[in-house]
């Protein structure tokens, strides 16, 4: 895991490297180390369409300079290694058809204590896609670090590792004792990618043969098969690791909402805009790379594992990195993509086996168009915003005020000119900022009496008279309000020294002043430019808010027509009517079908109403439904009854039979029946739920003559929502589609009655087997919390009945998404409450969704929640859960 010598600042992510052999193979439940399973190893031989396009068999008397260039430097490989690389025949030579790379003690007074060789094919043999293969015998000893790897020829995506690195084979300290007393015998295959150092990422797999054979004892074959979007690692033709490009999940509006697979990513500057962006594509592994062979001594990785440091006795003429050959094959099935010649085995595309989860960040969920409020500072600063001084060189601070508690303090030292306030713009963040740039979409609030408001106290006025101003910007310095005087607020007052005053600005006024409400990212409060010297002032309770209600819903018909959704006969020429039915239903919509084939229902398009209002159900896609009641008063024969819904002027639609509903029943004569269709099922059937404009219920086309039927209580809504995205996963019993769950301990959690306040609760008992426990969703059931990222939380109550036998056990919370594709894991003390459980007491724990998102969780497909004593330390624990929910505050 090294990079070219010109990169002086590359480090090794030591903790990740040391942890590879511990954490590899861990899946959703706490897992164990990966090991070879001989009974499933049945590799196919490479197919005949692999064609060798380059090779070096090392059968000449000297190293072929047409193939290889020696690096000559003492840069330490970028990893604080202990060797100088030379082109000396003492460090690299061919003997008996074998390339030998040898690390030797350097002469006294040398820059570094060892010499060795690093050879590369750059500009002599560069490759994009193929099978890269080496047969070699590795050196051993503490501090030894041989490698066969690849680097990008032209670094088209930027400096390391933005343009990528492919480590085909590496080993460290072979033959040296491990912690368990066995001899080190692992090899590693790794990718490096992502952001520039020190925020770089890597992912890979450690592997050892089931026989326990040591790579230093004999020759073995190491290879990758690299194709567009995928790289696979082999040892002796056993596929032990696969890595792939990330796969983004999109909603019906083609907006990124999560990751279907978390793989590699990169970050580079867009050629048109010049903006640094994150990409979840085949990049950076879609350009030419060159081959590298080297034998390093020591460095940040080998010196910090096994026996530590460097064993000088391990380096001499007899401890060699011996390479029999290096070969490169090209897949003739598809030269452009490298696909069609895969050597695979069962399980290679499973996260529990060969497929590796990468380190790609989860895409920030798009605005869902749902009205929500934003607190920028209310005693605590929003995690995604900073208090900011544009140009004055000060650092705004949070201090205690006698009247308001914690408030943000701003100071202006001179009249050179500055503006101050709050920002969520990425370019304003420092290196230590852990939040995310999160422009706020306030546009849904403008029709809900939306305002921007704050409280302010001037502690010390500017040395000269000035006008106090508000300025709000959107879109990285794009549309803004310009300078708006504070005395034009609803309160109409100028600041008074020593007094707290409230300032309120309607969003409609700010919009009229030029602000794009959909992407607010900077709010500034300041004395006019170059007039603020000496000013000190405090700000608190700054918020953008309106009269936000619950989850969006549409009532199409109940007792009367919705004027934006009139009753409609597509093609039969009839006029649907409103009729009086029984006491329970009152006025209902009645439809009659004559001799002409037709479909009927409700429509919201410009040709049918003066006020069309297509409904955007994106925010309730996970749990939302279309539901109606129906009574047939005259049957049309044996016709199948259909339900069809269209969107965006029939750009998309879904059509199902009524028996495909949740209820699964056909209409019965003169009986009111309820029909429910899940929005997620309709979306899977092809419907874009973001612009629903037609709902139809009808007998199959051409078979409906004589039918008369009535509809009532037609609506689109989220039946689980009591407030915006309030998903209760357990309250007296698990929610539909969820179950109490013991991953690995073999117990069956039970429902137990507790105190009056909690009633029936979920009880878990941890036995001798290591396990994690909690709530698990069945296939197809999940919570999409992307719409409440800014103000959502995961919240639950816990009571420890009996603590674990191990008094040092740490209580943990883990939450997973999309079958453990992403997760976040924190101790319960990492909650908002910050307390460990107390035996015999109910305690509430709250984790902000933003915290979980920042920790790597894809919040759009949450399907497992776990609360448990740390893996392997929970024996004897008995505890209860209640009121488990994912909700907006």
């Amino acid at each position: 895991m090294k990079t070219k010598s010109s990169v002086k600042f590359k480090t090794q992510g030591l903790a990740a490297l040391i942890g590879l052999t511990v954490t590899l193979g861990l899946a959703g439940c706490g897992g164990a180390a990966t090991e070879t399973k001989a009974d499933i190893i049945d590799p196919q031989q490479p197919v005949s369409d692999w064609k060798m396009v380059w090779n070096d068999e090392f059968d000449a008397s000297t190293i072929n300079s047409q193939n290889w260039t020696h690096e000559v430097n003492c840069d330490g490989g970028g990893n604080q290694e202990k060797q100088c690389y030379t082109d000396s025949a003492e460090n690299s030579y061919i003997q008996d058809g074998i390339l030998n790379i040898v690390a030797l003690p350097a002469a006294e007074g040398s820059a570094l204590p060892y010499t060795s060789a690093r050879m590369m094919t750059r500009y002599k043999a560069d490759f994009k896609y193929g099978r890269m293969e080496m047969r070699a015998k590795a050196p051993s000893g503490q501090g030894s670090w041989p490698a066969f790897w690849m680097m990008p020829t032209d670094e088209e995506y930027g400096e390391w590792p933005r343009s990528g690195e492919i480590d085909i084979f590496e080993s460290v300290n072979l033959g040296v004792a491990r912690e368990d007393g066995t001899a080190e015998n692992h090899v590693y295959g790794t990718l490096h990618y992502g952001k520039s150092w020190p925020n770089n990422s890597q992912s890979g797999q450690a592997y050892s043969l089931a026989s326990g054979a040591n790579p230093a004892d004999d020759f073995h074959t190491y290879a990758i098969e690299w194709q567009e979007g995928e790289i696979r690692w082999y040892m002796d033709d056993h596929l032990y690791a696969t890595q792939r490009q990330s796969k983004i999940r999109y909603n019906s509006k083609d907006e990124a909402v999560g990751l279907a697979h978390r793989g590699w990513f990169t970050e580079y500057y867009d050629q048109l805009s010049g903006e640094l962006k994150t990409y979840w594509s085949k990049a950076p592994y879609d350009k030419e790379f060159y081959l590298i062979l080297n034998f390093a001594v020591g460095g940040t990785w080998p010196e910090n594992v096994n026996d530590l440091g460097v064993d000088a006795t391990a380096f001499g003429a007899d401890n060699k990195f011996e390479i029999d050959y290096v070969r490169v094959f090209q897949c003739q099935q598809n030269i452009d993509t490298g696909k069609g010649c895969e050597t695979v085995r069962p399980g290679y595309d499973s996260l529990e086996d060969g497929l590796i989860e990468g380190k790609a960040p989860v895409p920030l969920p798009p605005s869902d168009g749902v009205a929500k409020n934003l607190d920028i500072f209310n005693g605590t600063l929003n995690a995604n915003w900073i208090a900011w001084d544009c140009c004055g060189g000060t650092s705004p601070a949070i201090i205690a005020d006698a009247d308001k508690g914690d408030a943000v303090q701003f100071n202006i030292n001179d009249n050179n000119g500055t503006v101050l306030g709050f920002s969520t713009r990425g370019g304003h963040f420092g290196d230590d900022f852990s939040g995310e740039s999160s422009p706020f979409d306030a546009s849904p609030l403008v029709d809900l009496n939306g305002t921007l408001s704050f409280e302010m106290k001037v502690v010390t006025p500017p040395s000269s008279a000035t006008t106090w101003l508000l300025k709000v910007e959107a879109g990285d310095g794009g549309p803004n309000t310009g300078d708006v005087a504070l005395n034009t607020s609803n309160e109409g007052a100028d600041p008074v020294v020593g007094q707290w005053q409230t300032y309120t600005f309607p969003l409609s006024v700010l919009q009229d002043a030029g602000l794009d409400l959909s992407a607010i990212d900077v709010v500034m409060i300041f004395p006019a430019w170059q007039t603020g010297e000496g000013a000190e002032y405090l700000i608190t309770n700054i918020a953008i808010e309106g009269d936000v209600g619950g989850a969006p819903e549409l009532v199409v018909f109940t007792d009367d027509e919705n004027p934006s959704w009139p009753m409609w006969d597509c093609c039969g020429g009839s006029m649907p009517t409103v009729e009086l039915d029984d006491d329970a239903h009152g006025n209902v919509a009645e439809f009659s079908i004559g001799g002409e084939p037709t479909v009927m229902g409700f429509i919201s398009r410009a040709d049918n109403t003066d006020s069309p209002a297509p409904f955007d159900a994106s925010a309730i896609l996970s749990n939302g439904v279309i539901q109606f009641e129906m009574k047939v008063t005259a049957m049309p024969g044996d016709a199948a009854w259909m339900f069809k819904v269209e969107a965006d002027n029939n750009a998309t639609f879904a059509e199902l039979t009524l028996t495909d509903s949740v209820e699964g029943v056909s209409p019965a004569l003169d009986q009111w029946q309820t029909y429910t269709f899940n929005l997620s099922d309709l979306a899977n059937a092809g419907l874009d739920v973001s612009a629903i404009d037609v709902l139809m219920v009808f007998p199959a086309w051409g078979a409906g003559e004589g039918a008369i039927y009535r509809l009532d209580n037609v609506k689109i809504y989220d039946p689980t929502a009591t407030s915006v995205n309030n998903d209760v996963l357990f309250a007296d019993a698990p929610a539909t589609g969820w179950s109490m769950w013991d991953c690995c301990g073999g117990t069956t959690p039970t429902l137990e009655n507790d105190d009056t306040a909690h009633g029936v609760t979920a009880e878990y008992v941890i036995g001798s087997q290591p396990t994690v426990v909690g709530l698990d969703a069945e296939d197809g059931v999940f919570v999409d919390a992307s719409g409440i990222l800014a103000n959502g939380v995961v919240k639950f109550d816990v009571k420890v009945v009996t603590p674990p036998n191990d008094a040092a056990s740490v209580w943990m919370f883990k939450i997973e998404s999309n079958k453990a594709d992403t997760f976040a894991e924190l101790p319960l003390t990492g909650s908002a409450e910050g307390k460990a459980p107390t035996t015999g007491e109910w305690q509430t724990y709250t984790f902000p969704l933003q915290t979980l998102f920042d920790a790597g969780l894809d919040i759009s497909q949450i399907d497992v929640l776990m609360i448990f004593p740390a893996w392997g330390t929970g024996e004897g624990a008995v505890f209860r859960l209640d009121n488990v929910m994912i909700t907006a505050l």
Side-chain angles (χ1 to χ4, degrees), residues 361 364 383-385 424 429 433-439 850 853-854:
L364 190 67
N384 293 322
W385 288 71
T424 187
F429 298 154
F433 183 71
S434 60
E436 296 281 346
S437 178
S438 303
Q850 185 67 59
F853 177 85
D854 293 342

Side-chain angles (χ1 to χ4, degrees), residues 220-267:
H220 297 274
T221 302
Y222 306 95
I224 61 164
E225 290 178 357
W226 170 25
Q227 66 188 43
E228 184 179 84
E230 181 172 298
I231 303 174
R232 300 176 296 278
W233 280 259
Y234 300 83
M235 181 178 182
D236 292 340
D237 278 335
H238 173 68
L239 170 61
Y240 70 88
T242 301
Q243 297 203 54
R244 293 177 179 154
Q245 72 179 73
S246 297
K247 184 178 179 182
I248 293 180
R249 288 195 306 105
Y250 292 93
N251 65 11
S252 57
K253 294 181 283 188
D254 201 32
E255 297 171 325
V257 296
L259 292 177
H261 172 67
R262 191 178 193 184
W264 68 64
F265 76 104
T266 193
E267 177 186 81

Side-chain angles (χ1 to χ4, degrees), residues 71-103:
E71 290 193 27
V72 179
N73 59 60
C74 294
D75 293 336
N79 304 290
Q80 302 177 38
E81 299 157 21
K82 298 299 188 291
Q83 80 290 322
C84 289
Y85 285 126
T86 81
D87 57 3
S88 168
E90 291 185 341
N91 294 121
S92 57
Y93 60 90
I94 293 176
Q95 184 176 30
D96 299 329
I98 301 293
L99 171 66
N100 296 266
I101 301 179
V102 188

Side-chain angles (χ1 to χ4, degrees), residues 191-220:
L191 294 181
H192 296 260
Y193 49 82
K195 303 184 179 194
S196 61
W197 182 89
N199 299 312
N200 47 292
S201 298
Q202 65 184 50
S203 51
Q205 180 90 301
Y207 176 71
S208 61
L209 293 171
S211 64
N214 199 298
D217 293 339
D218 204 348
F219 283 85
H220 297 274

Side-chain angles (χ1 to χ4, degrees), residues 838-855:
T838 300
T839 301
E841 294 183 9
W842 278 105
Q843 292 169 270
T844 298
Y845 291 94
T846 308
F847 291 86
L849 284 173
Q850 185 67 59
T851 299
L852 303 174
F853 177 85
D854 293 342

Side-chain angles (χ1 to χ4, degrees), residues 408-423:
V408 179
Q409 178 192 53
F410 296 98
N411 290 280
I412 300 178
N413 293 331
D414 54 45
N415 271 337
N416 290 332
T418 190
V419 292
L420 304 98
F422 301 87
S423 174

Side-chain angles (χ1 to χ4, degrees), residues 725-805:
N725 284 59
N726 183 10
D727 288 277
V728 178
L729 307 185
F730 185 97
D732 293 330
T736 302
W738 290 77
S739 60
M740 299 182 297
W741 173 70
D742 180 342
C743 150
C744 321
T747 72
T748 301
T750 58
L751 294 174
E752 301 293 340
N753 199 23
D754 202 272
D755 58 24
T756 303
H758 290 84
V760 178
T761 64
E763 183 172 282
Y764 299 86
V765 178
I766 310 292
S768 59
Q769 293 297 317
T771 191
V772 293
V773 298
L775 297 170
D776 181 35
E778 63 187 40
D779 288 345
V781 176
F782 58 89
V783 174
D784 179 358
S786 56
I788 57 170
L789 175 60
N791 62 341
V793 297
V794 179
K795 189 175 183 180
F796 51 86
D797 294 343
V798 174
K799 183 171 83 170
V800 175
V801 179
T802 305
N805 298 338

